[in-house]
Amino acid sequence: MSLINIISKDFDIAENLSESRLREVMVDAFAYLIDNDFPKLVQILYKADVDQYKLKELLETAEGSSSAEVIADAYLARQKAKIETWAKYSQKKDS
């Protein structure tokens, strides 16, 4: 499973984005959700299993980054961690 595949479950994004462009798209998406659909933002973060306490701490201590950037980075990091975990356990299963 790729990062784009996972994210496309929550967001309508192009399949051929570079990682830096993906981050830009996610920052814009989270900025929109912060301003226009906070319940959906919370639902997406909950579904992605982003640690709310860690995120709160990141938001309180982030200097020079917008809330949307902090949230996008936390969301992307969580999705990447899921992929690593799945890969690790699928390798053990295949052995």
Side-chain angles (χ1 to χ4, degrees):
M1 173 112 11
S2 76
L3 185 58
I4 297 282
N5 288 350
I6 293 173
I7 293 171
S8 66
K9 292 178 181 176
D10 294 318
F11 298 96
D12 185 20
I13 55 172
E15 290 186 21
N16 56 350
L17 295 177
S18 67
E19 192 160 332
S20 62
R21 182 68 185 122
L22 175 62
R23 182 182 182 272
E24 290 173 18
V25 169
M26 298 311 306
V27 169
D28 290 345
F30 282 116
Y32 174 83
L33 290 173
I34 289 168
D35 292 339
N36 299 293
D37 198 347
F38 198 78
K40 185 173 181 180
L41 167 69
V42 172
Q43 178 187 18
I44 288 169
L45 294 175
Y46 179 78
K47 192 168 110 179
D49 197 28
V50 173
D51 184 311
Q52 64 182 2
Y53 301 107
K54 184 176 178 183
L55 183 59
K56 184 176 188 264
E57 183 179 323
L58 289 170
L59 287 166
E60 290 172 353
T61 60
E63 293 183 24
S65 295
S66 69
S67 296
E69 288 174 305
V70 173
I71 293 169
D73 290 340
Y75 174 83
L76 289 168
R78 180 65 188 118
Q79 300 301 28
K80 288 177 187 176
K82 285 183 192 176
I83 292 169
E84 290 173 15
T85 301
W86 290 333
K88 180 178 164 185
Y89 287 103
S90 68
Q91 285 174 352
K92 286 183 178 179
K93 200 164 97 176
D94 294 341
S95 304

